[in-house]
Amino acid sequence: MKTCIACGMPMKKESDFAMGDTSKEYCIYCAKEDGSMQSFEEKKQSLLNFTIKTQGLDKAIAEKAVENMMRQLPAWKGFF
Amino acid sequence: MKTKRQIQKEATRKLILDTAYRVYAEEGFSATTNQIAKAANVSHGTIFVHFPTVENLLICLLERFGSEINKHLHLLSEKDESLETFLAAHIDVLIRYEDFYKKLISDINSLPQDAKFVFINIQSVVSLHLSQVIEREKEKKEIKEIPMHIIFNSWLGLIHYYLTNSYLFSAESVLTEHKDELILNYIKLLENERN
């Protein structure tokens, strides 16, 4: 099973992939409206907002956790 | 094509991770690498050939654990799943790893900072699925207006309380025994009264 290179989500169903295109390496949540992949800053901001909204984390902690997660992902290797 | 040496190396790495998982699940995270080496029947030095530091071993183990949880939750969750189905899927995944998870949540405060970050990311997968389910339920106006992080933290708080104090509630698997009761009543707390 493929996993999204930008957030690590497993992609099993067609609807998991960006634009429903199973040849894509990134998921529906990491795609912009035009189907291209979000930039590093866009993804970081959206993960940060999501983590604070759903888990109530302190902003500084959330930022470190998000960076720590992004560091492991193939799409962002060049940013660390 | 992998060489015999590479295959052997990967097998030893997996053996060390599998054994560390078992030892931590039984002894907690204060267990030493000596205990892990003994249980895996490898020399103490072999562990450090594969993992430069104890912290690195711990992080690799937690990342593997996280990706297993991630995979299981994703496979179990369907687009139209109900809140009840999702909560049951979450508990079912935790039941598979109950002893390890119990020790993890009890010891998390004493683990290195990087391990805590991996733990946060494990919970992010759960909070993603839960927030999607809650959004759908809210469209049906069945859920009270409570901030998402309180909904998520209340659920984690509830199951973590039962796990860390399992001696109060069960002699066996506390999640197996109390699964239905916890899910049913947690949903009642969130739902608006129907007229």
Side-chain angles (χ1 to χ4, degrees):
Chain A
M1 188 177 15
K2 273 188 177 179
T3 56
C4 172
I5 58 167
C7 76
M9 186 184 93
M11 301 187 292
K12 187 190 165 215
K13 305 178 287 286
E14 234 174 60
S15 58
D16 292 335
F17 290 82
M19 316 285 279
D21 176 357
T22 55
S23 70
K24 289 261 196 297
E25 302 297 323
Y26 50 95
C27 75
I28 181 166
Y29 303 107
C30 294
K32 295 196 245 194
E33 272 184 21
D34 67 0
S36 63
M37 197 177 81
Q38 290 177 2
S39 71
F40 177 77
E41 280 307 323
E42 285 168 331
K43 191 68 222 170
K44 188 176 160 190
Q45 201 51 50
S46 88
L47 285 170
L48 192 60
N49 293 344
F50 161 79
T51 312
I52 293 172
K53 185 185 166 209
T54 61
Q55 294 178 63
L57 301 189
D58 174 82
K59 189 168 180 249
I61 301 286
E63 241 173 71
K64 284 187 188 150
V66 164
E67 279 177 11
N68 195 275
M69 177 198 162
M70 290 179 87
R71 191 175 289 131
Q72 323 288 333
L73 295 162
W76 318 118
K77 282 271 185 262
F79 291 82
F80 292 96
Chain B
M1 176 103 175
K2 285 177 185 166
T3 63
K4 204 176 159 190
R5 197 182 145 85
Q6 278 172 323
I7 294 171
Q8 180 60 44
K9 201 176 165 192
E10 280 172 22
T12 308
R13 185 183 162 87
K14 185 176 178 301
L15 170 71
I16 294 170
L17 284 174
D18 290 345
T19 311
Y21 173 85
R22 218 176 54 237
V23 171
Y24 287 140
E26 283 165 12
E27 310 289 335
F29 287 82
S30 57
T32 63
T33 43
N34 253 322
Q35 282 173 279
I36 295 167
K38 241 182 226 165
N41 212 12
V42 298
S43 75
H44 193 211
T46 303
I47 291 190
F48 295 98
V49 171
H50 293 268
F51 305 94
T53 59
V54 185
E55 195 176 315
N56 181 261
L57 168 64
L58 184 58
I59 302 242
C60 291
L61 184 63
L62 289 180
E63 278 171 355
R64 189 178 75 158
F65 171 66
S67 82
E68 281 172 28
I69 289 207
N70 197 349
K71 212 162 56 194
H72 285 301
L73 268 188
H74 193 74
L75 291 177
L76 287 168
S77 70
E78 292 300 328
K79 281 279 169 219
D80 56 350
E81 69 180 341
S82 67
L83 180 55
E84 187 179 347
T85 316
F86 170 75
L87 298 176
H90 185 215
I91 288 198
D92 285 341
V93 170
L94 294 183
I95 287 172
R96 293 172 75 119
Y97 307 99
E98 190 163 331
D99 290 337
F100 181 80
Y101 190 77
K102 210 185 321 189
K103 290 287 194 305
L104 178 60
I105 58 172
S106 300
D107 293 350
I108 188 71
N109 284 313
S110 60
L111 297 186
Q113 195 60 46
D114 280 354
K116 288 185 185 134
F117 290 141
V118 180
F119 183 71
I120 294 174
N121 292 326
I122 292 173
Q123 303 303 1
S124 292
V125 173
V126 184
S127 74
L128 168 69
H129 286 292
L130 180 63
S131 61
Q132 289 172 339
V133 176
I134 292 288
E135 284 308 314
R136 279 203 304 275
E137 299 271 329
K138 271 185 178 169
E139 282 169 19
K140 295 182 231 157
K141 293 198 189 312
E142 287 173 355
I143 301 288
K144 286 180 189 151
E145 278 304 320
I146 302 171
M148 189 53 223
H149 67 281
I150 300 291
I151 293 180
F152 176 67
N153 290 340
S154 303
W155 171 245
L156 269 197
L158 181 63
I159 52 176
H160 285 187
Y161 182 77
Y162 272 71
L163 280 168
T164 48
N165 298 289
S166 56
Y167 72 97
L168 294 175
F169 306 111
S170 167
E172 303 284 331
S173 158
V174 69
L175 289 183
T176 307
E177 213 166 297
H178 292 272
K179 177 182 166 184
D180 295 341
E181 181 200 7
L182 293 179
I183 293 172
L184 181 78
N185 290 294
Y186 175 75
I187 292 175
K188 270 192 199 166
L189 291 173
L190 294 186
E191 277 182 349
N192 280 318
E193 293 282 331
R194 289 194 188 106
N195 295 322

